[in-house]
Amino acid sequence: MPCGECTACCTASYFIHVEPGETQTLARIPAELLFAAPGLAAGNVLLGYDKHGRCPLLVAGKCSIYEDRPLTCRSYDCRVFAAAGIAADRDLITQRARRWRFDYRTSADRDQQAAVQAAAEFLRERAACFPGGAAPDNPAQIAVLAVKVYEVFLEHAGEPGTSGRVASDADVARAVVRANEEFEAGRDRRGTLRA
Ligand code: SF4
């Protein structure tokens, strides 16, 4: 993630989850800054923030444990909000994310991003179509899910080049759930192959 000088997510009042296996990271964080993560197994902890919303490990505008920073920080990518065309749950992150611009090498790239945005819009506006409240309501989860299932929206039923049948919202919601399951199954297979 090319953050450059940006520290928006380090100053946005986020609790940072650190897993028990992140031993190198845990060794760098003073114990008094950590507390048990509610609802998670023992050993999972959260790093809090100060009264200004800043991570206490941000010193003179830089992460003081950068080379050992938590996995949560390494994997946070505000570009996902720009890709999905939605606001984050923090104004600061939204403003930063809106500065990203994408290159489209082909028209297919542009279509794919339009599909990601259509997926995010559907997830936000048609949450009631998902059985048992399966649609996320957190902006980060919506954006990530939109990236995972965008193919459902690439060939939207009823548009030229498809079967011509107009899908109901319930059909689309079912297709989204299926696409997410297939994505996760593929991720498990990829993980098994790597292991
Ligand atoms: S640990 Fe470092 S990268 Fe993570 S929020 Fe704190 S200052 Fe930012």
Side-chain angles (χ1 to χ4, degrees):
M1 172 67 194
C3 299
E5 299 295 307
C6 181
T7 56
C9 58
C10 307
T11 58
S13 308
Y14 278 133
F15 289 108
I16 309 292
H17 174 210
V18 187
E19 295 181 18
E22 297 184 73
T23 50
Q24 229 164 301
T25 299
L26 289 167
R28 300 282 309 270
I29 306 177
E32 62 269 22
L33 296 180
L34 298 168
F35 58 94
L40 296 180
N44 285 279
V45 290
L46 297 180
L47 170 64
Y49 49 85
D50 69 13
K51 62 181 179 183
H52 303 294
R54 284 191 297 247
C55 173
L57 299 174
L58 188 70
V59 179
K62 290 194 171 154
C63 177
S64 56
I65 62 161
Y66 186 77
E67 60 286 1
D68 294 317
R69 66 200 185 284
L71 190 58
T72 301
C73 307
R74 290 170 195 274
S75 53
Y76 189 89
D77 188 339
C78 68
R79 289 176 296 188
V80 77
F81 298 111
I86 63 173
D89 57 353
R90 303 284 193 279
D91 288 345
L92 199 57
I93 306 289
T94 300
Q95 286 162 20
R96 179 62 190 88
R98 284 190 177 143
R99 282 155 51 192
W100 290 113
R101 294 289 175 271
F102 296 99
D103 285 333
Y104 304 99
R105 288 187 202 150
T106 67
S107 61
D109 293 341
R110 199 176 289 277
D111 291 345
Q112 285 174 343
Q113 191 189 356
V116 171
Q117 296 189 345
E121 188 180 337
F122 185 86
L123 290 166
R124 285 200 309 175
E125 294 183 1
R126 302 283 189 275
C129 298
F130 289 85
D137 57 4
N138 169 300
Q141 290 173 340
I142 289 173
V144 169
L145 182 55
V147 171
K148 285 158 67 178
V149 303
Y150 76 91
E151 285 178 340
V152 171
F153 296 82
L154 259 186
E155 289 192 38
H156 204 281
E159 290 178 357
T162 66
S163 65
R165 187 176 72 85
V166 177
S168 70
D169 287 346
D171 287 339
V172 176
R174 275 191 289 275
V176 164
V177 171
R178 253 191 331 270
N180 185 44
E181 288 168 353
E182 283 163 14
F183 184 97
E184 291 301 330
R187 178 149 67 179
D188 288 347
R189 278 196 300 275
R190 289 190 293 276
T192 306
L193 285 174
R194 269 200 305 273

